[in-house]
Amino acid sequence: MNPRGGGAGIWKSGMAPATDGDRIFVVTGNGQGHENKDTPGSGRSPLSTLDEVVANFRVSGGKLTLQDYYESYEYIGMNAGDRDVGSGGVALLLDTSVFEGTNGVSRIAVTIGENGKAYVIKADNLGGFKLGPGATDNILQTIIAPNAVFGGAGSYPLEATKAQPGTGIVWLTDLDGGPKASKAVPDASGSLVRINIPPVGGLNKFRRLYVTNSNAAVICMGSPVSIPLNCTSLGDFGNVAIGMTETLRVECTALIPITKINGVTIGDATF
């Protein structure tokens, strides 16, 4: 992604490129050359050194053409400190029936990387370079994470009771800080509102609402599921001689209305 200077690879910790059908969104890492140097530039202008950028490419005739990009105003320092924004992928929040922002913004892109910052961007106008107030970023919001993130942002739209619209959630994870969640619809100031969730420790990689921690535990988050039965522990069969049998009793209490039991299965093939 950087023919003039080298580097700027697309790695994103194994995350795939994001697409809405006509466009492909990628994030790049450290590079050299720095065509923008310190001069503000439009994301719609050609750029041959796509280091530390979120970029979208138009797919036409089997070819990719750069359409738009966002490059952090800190990109030169990020390159020098090996703080790739490209260690995470892009999550696209494009379903206008779920995500509805203020001031006409309803299509959102979110990325987070090795520099520990989550960038919330307009998917239809990524922001270019240093076009914000005081020559900073022209994006919706920057969220500071405690540490570097190797994975990415993800979103799974959750509907409230009676399928109320606008209840999507943006999920972020990092290795040490655990998952973080915000309402996908920004508030009146255009900022995402943090949702308090239980701490679960360091995480390895985002998998929708299923994540793993360093102790190989799978942590599932989402709407509560009604467990049909609450059963007592099976206990210990003790020492049973070959050819003999032993019976243990398990009592189960129904937690939801049950009218029929179709069968019982045992998870351990030994029994």
Side-chain angles (χ1 to χ4, degrees), residues 136-224:
T136 57
D137 291 332
N138 180 31
I139 62 176
L140 295 174
Q141 186 178 7
T142 301
I143 303 173
I144 307 299
N147 296 287
V149 176
F150 297 84
S155 173
Y156 186 72
L158 302 179
E159 295 297 332
T161 305
K162 298 181 180 180
Q164 297 178 5
T167 54
I169 296 176
V170 174
W171 293 85
L172 302 175
T173 65
D174 67 66
L175 293 175
D176 299 310
K180 303 181 185 301
S182 299
K183 295 181 179 180
V185 179
D187 62 15
S189 68
S191 301
L192 297 181
V193 179
R194 179 71 61 85
I195 298 173
N196 293 324
I197 57 177
V200 297
L203 305 172
N204 293 331
K205 202 158 188 180
F206 189 85
R207 286 293 183 267
R208 285 188 180 269
L209 298 186
Y210 300 85
V211 292
T212 61
N213 66 11
S214 55
N215 295 320
V218 178
I219 300 160
C220 308
M221 296 184 179
S223 300

Side-chain angles (χ1 to χ4, degrees), residues 45-62:
S45 299
L47 183 67
S48 61
T49 56
L50 291 171
D51 47 322
E52 306 286 15
V53 305
V54 179
N56 91 57
F57 292 84
R58 179 170 53 87
V59 183
S60 178

Side-chain angles (χ1 to χ4, degrees), residues 6-263:
I10 302 172
W11 58 290
K12 303 187 300 182
S13 298
M15 294 189 69
T19 181
D20 61 359
D22 297 322
R23 302 177 296 177
I24 294 179
F25 292 75
V26 298
V27 190
T28 66
N30 295 332
Q32 301 169 355
H34 312 323
E35 180 180 349
N36 274 332
K37 300 188 183 302
D38 202 35
T39 304
S42 168
R44 308 297 173 88
S45 299
L47 183 67
S48 61
T49 56
L50 291 171
D51 47 322
E52 306 286 15
V53 305
V54 179
N56 91 57
F57 292 84
R58 179 170 53 87
V59 183
S60 178
K63 297 182 180 180
L64 297 178
T65 303
L66 178 66
Q67 263 195 321
D68 193 8
Y69 73 87
Y70 155 69
E71 186 171 52
S72 171
Y73 74 98
E74 304 172 299
Y75 85 102
I76 294 179
M78 290 159 57
N79 276 330
D82 191 24
R83 304 290 284 175
D84 291 34
V85 69
S87 68
V90 183
L92 296 178
L93 314 180
L94 306 179
D95 187 347
T96 55
S97 67
V98 176
F99 305 106
E100 183 179 356
T102 58
N103 298 323
V105 176
S106 57
R107 297 160 63 86
I108 301 171
V110 183
T111 189
I112 185 169
E114 199 174 352
N115 65 345
K117 293 184 178 182
Y119 300 103
V120 185
I121 309 167
K122 302 175 185 178
D124 296 325
N125 181 13
L126 296 181
F129 174 61
K130 297 187 73 169
L131 297 181
T136 57
D137 291 332
N138 180 31
I139 62 176
L140 295 174
Q141 186 178 7
T142 301
I143 303 173
I144 307 299
N147 296 287
V149 176
F150 297 84
S155 173
Y156 186 72
L158 302 179
E159 295 297 332
T161 305
K162 298 181 180 180
Q164 297 178 5
T167 54
I169 296 176
V170 174
W171 293 85
L172 302 175
T173 65
D174 67 66
L175 293 175
D176 299 310
K180 303 181 185 301
S182 299
K183 295 181 179 180
V185 179
D187 62 15
S189 68
S191 301
L192 297 181
V193 179
R194 179 71 61 85
I195 298 173
N196 293 324
I197 57 177
V200 297
L203 305 172
N204 293 331
K205 202 158 188 180
F206 189 85
R207 286 293 183 267
R208 285 188 180 269
L209 298 186
Y210 300 85
V211 292
T212 61
N213 66 11
S214 55
N215 295 320
V218 178
I219 300 160
C220 308
M221 296 184 179
S223 300
V225 177
S226 298
I227 301 174
L229 296 175
N230 182 24
C231 299
T232 60
S233 175
L234 183 62
D236 191 344
F237 282 98
N239 295 322
V240 182
I242 296 177
M244 303 300 290
T245 62
E246 183 67 35
T247 301
L248 291 179
R249 180 173 177 175
V250 176
E251 294 185 355
C252 295
T253 302
L255 302 179
I256 62 174
I258 296 177
T259 58
K260 181 181 179 181
I261 297 178
N262 294 323

